[in-house]
Amino acid sequence: MLTIPPFRGLGGLKIMETIKLSIDKAFGFVSEQAVAGYKAQIAEANAALHNGTGKGSDFLGWLNLPTSIDDAFLSDIENTAKILRENCEVVVVIGIGGSYLGAKAVIDALSNSFDWLKTERKSPVVVYAGQNIGEDYLYELQEMLKTRKFGIISISKSGTTTEPALAFRLLKTQLEEQQGKAAAQKLIVAVTDKARGALRTLAVQEGYKTYVIEDNIGGRYSVLTPVGLLPIAVAGFDIRQLIAGAVKMETLCGTETPFEENPAAQYAAVRNELYKSGKKIEILVNFHPKMHFVAEWWKQLYGESEGKDNLGIFPASVDFTSDLHSMGQWIQEGERSIFETVISIKESNNTKIFPNDESNLDGLNFLAGKRVDEVNKMAELGTMIAHIDGGVPNLKIELPKLNEYYLGQLLYFFEKACGISGYVLGVNPFDQPGVEAYKKNMFALLEKPGFEEETKAIKARI
Ligand code: PA5
């Protein structure tokens, strides 16, 4: 049984709210009847997920995950987070793709944008490594860590991915040199497969605290496992509220909810119909810069799940209003192969009233007394109308507020809709055979033992 504390700053009733999906602004581009026509197919896809009869059914561990999480599991994660929080100024989360994007999405969305500048901090700064092989990035990271107490959360399901393995070797060595082997052992946590992979072998040998990524949960569906939960707890956020939000969506997006009231079903139906009508690109839009990495997480989820067999909507993203001054032109008047899904946040967490200025030299007194969020909301509304007029269907997902509870809802909603949508499209939404191609070439070029034939073949081509 999960204990969920009363929500910070919200009354008991508000916890009942849910994120809201509006698809009516897609009608006119695709018909309401055509979308309703997916009802039976969506019910079948949803049932296939729950019965485990669809493609990739070995990877459905995420499906009932929120309702299966218990107190003891969360307490254990909170205790590990506490050790890192008490002993580190910086915690480096090492991972790539599904092994870091979920944590970064939630941490960025919930963090004060300038908190990292504060000298008096309640939580360690969470930084990331292993998501690139940039030499300057790693050099600068290691230089920064030289004068800081730091810890490492090393995340890799396979335990063999090159980018995080490379970063881990560098940072583990540095931590041991700075703190001594015994102290370093207590400041390293490994999240990996229960038995296989180099990271598991190393963790067992070195005696690190470990968490398991279950075999039946793919990287991009793992944000609600220790992969996401541990870094999020280290950053000081409430993982119980995150899970509570996901539990709410697990129920709402289940097979019992009628098609018309099931947001995952509605989203899956409308985006498949838009795709069929020639809208091959979906742009996830936000009007709050903190949401940038939620879109990065979403792009991985949908891109890796649907982009195969020469099919799939191309998932893109923009941060508005910034990108209205760059990509705005293309969206308004470029090829009409796009639709937008806007993530809208109903109520900002802070208030900023625009001041009056007697001289009004900037001509902005018409905004005096208004909240900055009102200006942002009018930009959002004005953009939606302009883009619809320009031939871009708009979907909207509204979060009542930006907090753990509604983010938990959003994450699970997107996961569930992705599973359903992939089945409707006819692909296996849980594999990613295409990501192996670059690895094979990279290993061949680097002359990795075991790749001798590939090395010969690729060298003949360059
Ligand atoms: O979604 C996925 O499966 C991938 O993006 C993986 O998460 C990514 O490749 C990292 O793999 P691993 O966790 O095995 O290091």
Side-chain angles (χ1 to χ4, degrees), residues 178-450:
Q178 279 178 217
Q179 303 258 8
K181 209 166 164 59
Q185 184 241 8
K186 295 190 170 40
L187 297 173
I188 297 176
V189 181
V191 185
T192 189
D193 185 87
K194 60 175 160 308
R196 283 175 308 221
L199 183 56
R200 170 59 60 184
T201 312
L202 221 125
V204 170
Q205 191 181 304
E206 303 280 359
Y208 302 146
K209 169 80 181 169
T210 60
Y211 288 97
V212 170
I213 310 173
E214 296 297 343
D215 283 344
N216 62 358
I217 303 181
R220 59 189 177 275
Y221 291 85
S222 69
V223 57
L224 300 174
T225 73
V227 170
L229 296 180
L230 180 60
I232 293 166
V234 166
F237 299 112
D238 188 339
I239 55 174
R240 287 170 193 269
Q241 288 298 335
L242 192 80
I243 297 299
V247 165
K248 176 78 188 167
M249 268 300 127
E250 185 186 320
T251 311
L252 191 63
C253 299
T255 48
E256 305 287 294
T257 309
F259 175 74
E260 297 73 18
E261 291 157 35
N262 184 327
Q266 292 276 305
Y267 183 54
V270 72
R271 62 197 299 285
N272 270 283
E273 183 57 18
L274 284 163
Y275 179 61
K276 221 165 82 182
S277 78
K279 304 296 185 192
K280 306 285 188 195
I281 301 164
E282 178 175 7
I283 305 176
L284 197 75
V285 176
N286 73 72
F287 280 81
H288 289 268
K290 286 166 190 255
M291 297 296 281
H292 178 85
F293 264 87
V294 170
E296 296 303 313
W297 171 84
W298 171 88
K299 284 195 282 194
Q300 189 210 358
L301 180 63
Y302 280 79
E304 271 192 349
S305 299
E306 293 191 322
K308 53 197 68 161
D309 307 333
N310 297 327
L311 291 168
I313 294 172
F314 182 83
S317 65
V318 286
D319 302 324
F320 285 169
T321 60
S322 325
D323 291 335
L324 284 170
H325 298 258
S326 56
M327 294 304 289
Q329 171 60 37
W330 199 103
I331 294 169
Q332 191 70 45
E333 295 182 346
E335 189 183 82
R336 301 298 70 189
S337 51
I338 56 173
F339 67 98
E340 290 176 310
T341 299
V342 179
I343 298 187
S344 179
I345 295 161
K346 193 171 173 190
E347 184 67 31
S348 288
N349 284 320
N350 301 289
T351 303
K352 177 60 64 187
I353 308 283
F354 197 69
N356 189 56
D357 184 297
E358 245 170 55
S359 62
N360 196 27
L361 289 176
D362 54 13
L364 287 180
N365 270 354
F366 73 101
L367 297 177
K370 291 192 197 301
R371 284 182 64 176
V372 171
D373 194 52
E374 192 181 338
V375 182
N376 203 24
K377 287 284 183 324
M378 292 310 108
E380 187 178 318
L381 186 57
T383 303
M384 185 191 76
I385 293 168
H387 288 181
I388 290 172
D389 287 349
V392 182
N394 261 243
L395 314 178
K396 178 167 149 178
I397 300 162
E398 187 181 74
L399 273 63
K401 263 181 118 63
L402 192 48
N403 60 32
E404 290 92 331
Y405 181 67
Y406 296 121
L407 277 174
Q409 289 192 13
L410 186 72
L411 296 173
Y412 187 87
F413 155 75
F414 274 137
E415 287 181 351
K416 186 66 188 284
C418 189
I420 298 174
S421 186
Y423 278 177
V424 170
L425 184 66
V427 300
N428 175 353
F430 307 114
D431 66 359
Q432 56 284 329
V435 298
E436 296 310 314
Y438 96 92
K439 292 184 193 169
K440 196 179 81 186
N441 289 345
M442 179 176 78
F443 293 147
L445 290 163
L446 288 168
E447 302 184 22
K448 184 176 176 174

Side-chain angles (χ1 to χ4, degrees), residues 158-169:
S158 63
T160 55
T161 308
T162 310
E163 293 90 333
L166 187 147
F168 185 54
R169 186 190 281 199

